């Protein structure tokens, strides 16, 4: 019956994510004036199919509501469902043969995914759909895109526009960090201009549900309260006076304030299953006199755990399962107090550096490095260990500390390297539910674009570790700023390569061997491109240093030329493609400004000896670069504001271009005083 190996058939259709089981059958279904019957239980699907069918294939489809309930659809002759398939809530089967197309699922979510797979198949050939048998469900239960709205705030239209695209890749949740981008009744002064109205959020949550995207709200409950504590009305609650990052856990008004936020946001998200209470990077906790008195002689961790448990219990009482950022807990693994942590919560821990199973740093254990790792590795300049907050060298740990780590680092390369899944292992050993957070818009602040490839490898590794240690949660972080007072990171519509990786790695088996194949799938499904060349260009983009030094290699002219060649072939998501072209031009200009600055620096001490003609050329470069930046900023601001708020679009383009331009002009003013 099979006329091709399943893997070959898979490659031919370039589905993303790759289905778990796909068999190619003989023949194809010829589609003419299609009539699609949808089971009555799938209430949201007819509207989605009608819209997407028209948009994708330009023709209409006749939709008929099925006489009986249930989650199914079919065109032509219906093939009966296979009774032996499992009960997974996202499972679906899709059968295409010469007589018709039939899909079955256990839930609306599964049936939506059957449609998404059919749509991707039809993009190969909408008139004659090859016969296949697909049975599919995900490896990881929750595949989450982090929607950070504290900067690069997406317009309401864009918030709606991302939903079908997330659904197409079978991403089933967003972690929504609203901060000051929602109008709260009890604290109205916090909202930024254009903040979302509650009614708009409610409509959006309902729209997300139709696309099987579960909104997980996030409210910071102690640290990262810059957006609140920077206001004079709230500054008295600062744990460290003058620093708006954290509130005091011992001040009675802090809980009253946090409870207000939790109450209002829980009401807004009523009926949803999860609530994230933040609690990362609480570096100052327990440092003010009030806290020190409250703590007596207990460690600061006791105060943190008490607060964490209070927040988790509070949301649990209202029917939400709590999520917490996992960094503080990870840093204190092995401490007996960890036993007191709330057991209902899922501790979601991040790591953006790991791109494979082994690492050269013990930072994950808050332990620094091994002296062995600081010896010059043989030809592995990129593999040098990160020398982070080195509390102790591995060699200086006590025997009992070493023996605790030893079983976790058991691999042939130890002590040169240790396993990157140690944080997950420790969570499991402590009996805590956990998830992993990778970097999609990796938090290298001020970057013009995400580090596409590092983020991809990092996400892949996170998914592998989640599967190995039976976690339900993989989250792709997409920080819009380091915190509410920091400069903005890259535009969020550049996240899709990372989102697609999260989707592919979280749904089914994907390893670093599959990257070339992934690029083909992504290029075709996301942009409608004939091949995976876009992946090469993203790779070269990353190989071009964002900060100039004398040995940096610049691939931007080549990338721009190739993007120009591909542009007429783009069929879908043209805005994301245009953004990619724009940020390449921006990076080119930023490099020019940096170069002009470098050149003036190079001759700085010998300025009087530089020939006048040479100086005139340098001055001309400065002027033309400044003019080019002024003109591109306008264009960039307009392009950015197609999907994010105009004031954020301006701020983002300023963030990306002003620094080097201003430094260049400052230096030029000093070196060319006659100007
Ligand atoms: Zn305090």
């Amino acid at each position: 019956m099979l006329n091709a190996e399943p893997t070959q058939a898979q490659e031919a259709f370039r589905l993303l994510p790759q289905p778990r089981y796909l068999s190619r059958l003989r023949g194809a279904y010829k589609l003419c004036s299609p009539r699609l019957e949808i089971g009555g239980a799938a209430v949201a699907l007819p509207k989605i199919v009608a819209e997407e069918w028209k948009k994708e294939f330009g023709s209409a489809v006749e939709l008929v509501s099925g006489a009986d309930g249930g989650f199914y659809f079919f065109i032509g002759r219906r093939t009966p469902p296979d009774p032996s398939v499992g009960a997974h809530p996202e499972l679906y089967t899709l059968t295409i043969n010469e007589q018709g197309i039939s899909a079955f699922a256990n839930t609306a979510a599964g049936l939506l995914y059957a449609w998404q797979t059919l749509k991707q198949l039809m993009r190969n050939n909408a008139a004659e759909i090859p016969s296949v048998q697909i049975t599919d469900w995900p490896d990881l239960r929750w595949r989450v895109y982090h929607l950070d709205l504290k900067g690069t705030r997406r317009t309401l239209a864009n918030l709606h526009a991302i939903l079908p695209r997330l659904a197409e890749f079978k991403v089933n949740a967003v972690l929504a960090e609203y901060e000051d981008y929602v109008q709260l009744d009890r604290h109205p002064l916090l909202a930024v201009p254009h903040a979302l109205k509650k009614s708009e959020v409610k409509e959006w949550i309902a729209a997300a549900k139709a696309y099987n995207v579960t909104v997980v709200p996030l409210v910071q409950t102690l640290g990262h309260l810059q957006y609140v504590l920077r206001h004079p009305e709230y500054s008295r609650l600062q744990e460290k006076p003058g620093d708006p990052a954290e509130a005091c856990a011992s001040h009675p008004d802090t809980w009253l304030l946090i409870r207000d936020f939790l109450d209002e946001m829980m009401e807004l998200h009523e009926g949803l299953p999860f609530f994230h209470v933040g609690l990362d990077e609480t570096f100052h906790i327990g440092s003010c006199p009030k806290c020190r008195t409250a703590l007596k002689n207990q460690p600061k961790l006791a105060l943190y755990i008490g607060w964490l448990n209070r927040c988790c219990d509070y949301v649990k009482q209202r029917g939400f399962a709590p999520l917490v950022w996992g960094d503080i807990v990870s840093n204190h693994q092995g401490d007996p107090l960890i036993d007191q942590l709330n057991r209902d919560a899922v501790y979601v821990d991040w790591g953006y550096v790991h791109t494979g199973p082994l690492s050269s740093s013990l930072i994950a254990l808050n332990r620094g490095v091994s002296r062995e790792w600081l010896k010059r590795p043989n030809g592995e300049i990129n593999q040098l260990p990160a020398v982070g907050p080195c509390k102790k060298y591995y060699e200086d740990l006590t025997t009992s500390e070493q023996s605790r780590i030893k079983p976790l680092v058991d691999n042939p390369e130890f002590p040169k390297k240790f396993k990157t899944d140690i944080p997950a292992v420790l969570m499991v050993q402590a009996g805590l539910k956990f998830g992993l957070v990778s970097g999609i818009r990796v938090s290298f602040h001020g970057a013009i674009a995400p580090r596409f490839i590092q983020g991809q490898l990092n996400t892949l590794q996170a998914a592998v570790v989640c599967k190995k240690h039976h976690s339900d949660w993989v989250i792709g972080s997409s920080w819009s700023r380091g915190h509410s007072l920091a400069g903005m990171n890259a535009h969020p519509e550049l996240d899709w390569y990372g989102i697609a990786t999260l989707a592919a790695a979280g749904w089914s088996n994907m390893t670093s061997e599959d990257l070339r194949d992934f690029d083909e799938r992504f290029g075709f499904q996301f942009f409608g491109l004939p091949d995976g060349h876009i992946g090469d260009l993203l790779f070269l983009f990353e190989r071009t240093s964002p900060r100039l030094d004398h040995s940096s290699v610049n691939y931007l002219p080549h990338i721009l030329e190739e993007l120009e060649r591909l542009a007429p072939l783009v069929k879908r998501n043209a805005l994301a493609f245009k953004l990619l072209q724009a940020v390449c031009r921006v990076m080119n200009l930023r490099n020019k400004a940096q170069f002009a600055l470098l050149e003036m620096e190079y001759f700085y001490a010998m300025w009087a000896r530089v020939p006048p003609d040479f100086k005139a050329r340098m001055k001309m470069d400065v002027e033309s670069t400044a003019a080019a930046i002024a003109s591109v900023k306008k264009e960039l601001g307009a392009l950015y504001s197609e999907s994010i708020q105009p004031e954020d679009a301006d701020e983002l383009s300023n963030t990306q271009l002003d620094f080097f331009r201003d430094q260049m002009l400052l230096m030029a003013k000093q070196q060319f005083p006659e100007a």
Side-chain angles (χ1 to χ4, degrees):
M1 190 72 176
L2 297 178
N3 61 6
E5 288 299 311
T7 49
Q8 284 170 351
Q10 293 245 13
E11 280 163 21
F13 303 131
R14 296 172 287 186
L15 300 174
L16 201 168
Q18 187 169 321
R20 184 176 294 260
Y21 300 112
L22 181 151
S23 310
R24 176 81 168 88
L25 310 177
R26 205 175 295 282
Y29 181 68
K30 289 196 178 76
L31 203 64
C32 53
S33 43
R35 181 179 180 277
L36 188 134
E37 183 173 327
I38 301 183
V43 286
L45 193 59
K47 186 168 171 274
I48 292 173
V49 172
E51 277 172 16
E52 295 190 352
W53 191 295
K54 188 152 194 298
K55 188 177 161 205
E56 292 284 337
F57 310 113
S59 58
V61 56
E62 187 192 345
L63 292 176
V64 187
S65 186
D68 45 341
F71 300 100
Y72 66 86
F73 66 72
F74 65 91
I75 298 175
R77 205 175 78 193
R78 182 175 176 174
T79 307
D82 175 358
S84 71
V85 297
H88 192 287
E90 291 175 300
L91 178 142
Y92 69 91
T93 62
L94 179 65
T95 309
I96 300 168
N97 56 34
E98 287 170 348
Q99 281 77 48
I101 299 170
S102 311
F104 294 93
N106 299 317
T107 64
L111 198 67
L112 171 72
Y113 290 164
W115 157 245
Q116 296 302 333
T117 300
L118 175 61
K119 181 176 83 185
Q120 288 195 346
L121 272 172
M122 285 172 64
R123 283 176 181 161
N124 290 280
N125 186 348
E128 221 176 284
I129 310 164
S131 299
V132 288
Q133 169 68 55
I134 294 173
T135 306
D136 198 14
W137 69 94
D139 282 345
L140 295 176
R141 182 68 186 88
W142 296 103
R143 307 165 303 281
V144 190
Y145 174 56
H146 174 218
L147 189 65
D148 185 10
L149 300 171
K150 69 167 85 73
T152 60
R153 297 172 182 88
R154 292 169 178 274
T155 60
L156 185 61
N158 182 257
L159 283 173
H160 282 273
I162 64 172
L163 299 173
R165 291 184 284 169
L166 292 170
E168 182 187 326
F169 291 147
K170 305 183 174 80
V171 170
N172 64 358
V174 290
L175 178 61
E177 200 166 348
Y178 303 92
E179 284 210 350
D180 46 16
Y181 194 43
V182 60
Q183 297 177 19
L184 296 180
D185 298 334
R186 295 191 207 174
H187 299 275
L189 80 89
L190 294 179
V192 287
H194 301 121
L196 302 167
K197 295 188 189 83
K198 281 186 175 177
S199 57
E200 293 171 334
V201 175
K202 279 200 163 139
E203 272 171 39
W204 175 68
I205 293 169
K209 193 178 171 211
Y211 286 101
N212 192 41
V213 175
T214 297
V215 176
V216 180
L218 187 155
V219 172
Q220 283 288 2
T221 52
L222 200 61
H224 281 305
L225 286 172
Q226 286 95 343
Y227 77 104
V228 181
L229 302 178
R230 73 188 171 89
H231 295 283
E233 290 83 348
Y234 300 96
S235 59
R236 67 196 169 84
L237 298 179
Q238 292 169 357
E239 174 68 5
K240 217 174 147 186
D243 182 344
E246 286 174 55
C248 172
S250 307
H251 196 303
D253 292 353
T254 300
W255 174 247
L256 299 181
L257 174 74
I258 297 304
R259 203 181 57 184
D260 277 356
F261 293 149
L262 292 176
D263 284 345
E264 213 166 330
M265 291 298 272
M266 285 195 289
E267 194 192 306
L268 186 56
H269 295 81
E270 198 76 69
L272 289 169
F274 305 107
F275 200 101
H276 195 309
V277 295
L279 285 170
D280 57 318
E281 300 186 341
T282 52
F283 302 126
H284 304 320
I285 189 169
S287 57
C288 86
K290 234 189 203 81
C291 283
R292 284 204 302 272
T293 310
L295 271 171
K296 295 187 185 95
N297 291 321
Q298 294 180 92
K300 290 172 177 179
L301 183 63
L303 197 57
Y304 178 80
I305 291 178
W307 189 267
L308 182 152
N309 289 346
R310 188 180 200 177
C311 295
C312 289
D313 289 344
Y314 195 69
V315 299
K316 182 85 203 305
Q317 276 168 22
R318 291 275 294 264
F320 295 90
L323 275 81
V324 184
W325 290 127
D327 55 322
I328 304 287
V329 171
S330 261
N331 289 347
H332 289 89
Q333 290 289 7
D335 191 308
L337 284 171
I338 292 293
D339 289 346
Q340 297 176 17
L341 278 169
N342 183 296
R343 261 29 196 186
D344 297 314
V346 182
Y347 297 87
V348 288
D349 197 11
W350 61 66
Y352 307 134
V353 181
H354 302 316
T355 52
L358 296 178
S359 171
S360 310
S361 163
L362 277 174
I363 288 170
L365 292 170
N366 207 21
R367 290 286 185 261
V369 297
S370 156
R371 288 204 178 85
E372 180 69 27
W373 300 340
L374 299 175
K375 291 178 186 164
R376 185 170 181 238
N378 202 5
E380 290 180 32
I381 196 76
N382 290 328
Q383 301 298 319
L384 284 173
V387 185
C390 185
K391 284 198 172 170
K392 274 181 186 173
Y393 288 109
Y394 171 76
E395 288 79 1
D396 298 337
L397 299 180
T398 64
T399 319
S400 79
E401 282 173 318
Q402 280 191 359
S403 67
R404 193 170 68 83
I405 297 171
K406 198 88 171 90
L408 305 173
V409 291
D410 184 25
N411 70 69
E413 289 195 67
F414 185 77
K416 284 189 174 166
K417 291 186 175 170
F418 81 104
K419 290 181 177 174
T420 56
D421 67 345
I422 288 182
V425 173
L426 291 173
M427 288 282 190
V428 173
Q429 283 181 0
L432 299 170
K433 286 185 266 188
F434 80 99
L436 290 184
V437 186
S438 72
I440 282 182
R441 190 166 24 158
V442 184
S443 183
F444 296 112
H445 305 308
I448 277 174
R451 291 203 186 173
F452 297 105
I453 309 302
Q454 173 162 351
Q456 176 175 55
L457 295 174
N458 177 242
T459 298
L460 209 56
Q461 179 61 13
V464 167
V465 174
C466 282
K467 291 176 197 180
K468 184 176 167 194
H469 297 290
H470 310 291
S471 162
D472 283 341
W473 294 81
V474 63
I475 302 177
S477 76
S478 172
W479 301 102
S480 62
R481 310 174 185 268
H483 55 74
S484 1
L485 303 180
M488 288 189 198
N489 296 339
H491 194 286
E493 281 289 320
L494 295 167
D495 281 355
W496 287 99
Y497 189 70
I499 296 173
T501 303
L502 173 83
W507 184 273
S508 56
N509 188 34
M510 180 179 170
T511 70
S512 53
E513 303 287 302
D514 302 318
L515 293 176
R516 171 64 48 190
D517 180 46
F518 171 86
D519 286 346
E520 303 270 334
R521 294 166 195 267
F522 178 77
F524 176 65
Q525 297 295 355
F526 192 71
F527 286 127
L529 292 170
D531 59 30
H533 189 43
I534 191 76
D536 302 331
L537 300 179
L538 297 180
F539 174 77
L540 290 178
F541 184 88
E542 191 152 315
R543 301 304 292 173
T544 302
S545 170
R547 299 254 162 158
L548 276 191
D549 61 46
H550 292 283
S551 61
S552 67
V553 183
N554 183 5
Y555 295 103
L556 290 166
H558 171 74
I559 300 169
L560 279 163
E561 198 179 296
E562 289 295 281
L563 288 175
E564 196 66 32
R565 187 179 65 77
L566 291 175
L569 305 175
V570 170
K571 292 188 190 129
R572 291 179 278 279
N573 296 300
L575 177 67
F577 194 87
K578 274 190 209 157
L579 274 172
L580 201 55
Q581 289 180 295
V583 295
C584 288
R585 283 199 293 273
V586 167
M587 190 135 126
N588 220 7
L589 275 179
R590 188 153 93 162
N591 284 357
K592 275 188 183 166
Q594 282 190 66
F595 186 80
L597 187 62
L598 258 179
E599 206 173 34
M600 287 185 280
E601 183 200 357
Y602 187 71
F603 292 108
Y604 186 81
M606 307 297 161
W607 197 251
R609 291 190 219 160
V610 180
D613 285 0
F614 197 90
K615 277 189 191 169
R617 204 268 302 144
M618 278 199 273
K619 186 163 170 269
M620 233 166 64
D621 283 356
V622 167
E623 283 162 1
S624 70
T625 302
I629 286 177
S631 95
V632 86
K633 258 172 73 172
K634 234 176 160 177
E635 185 199 328
L636 193 65
L639 189 58
Y640 279 178
S641 62
E642 282 186 39
S643 41
I644 64 175
Q645 291 292 352
E647 54 269 38
D648 285 9
D650 285 346
E651 190 186 322
L652 181 61
S653 53
N654 292 345
T655 300
Q656 296 183 337
L657 281 162
D658 283 1
F659 179 78
F660 286 108
R661 182 203 58 185
D662 290 354
Q663 294 306 308
M664 173 188 77
L665 290 174
L666 207 67
M667 177 84 100
K669 205 174 163 192
Q670 188 186 328
Q671 300 300 81
F672 305 106
E674 70 282 9

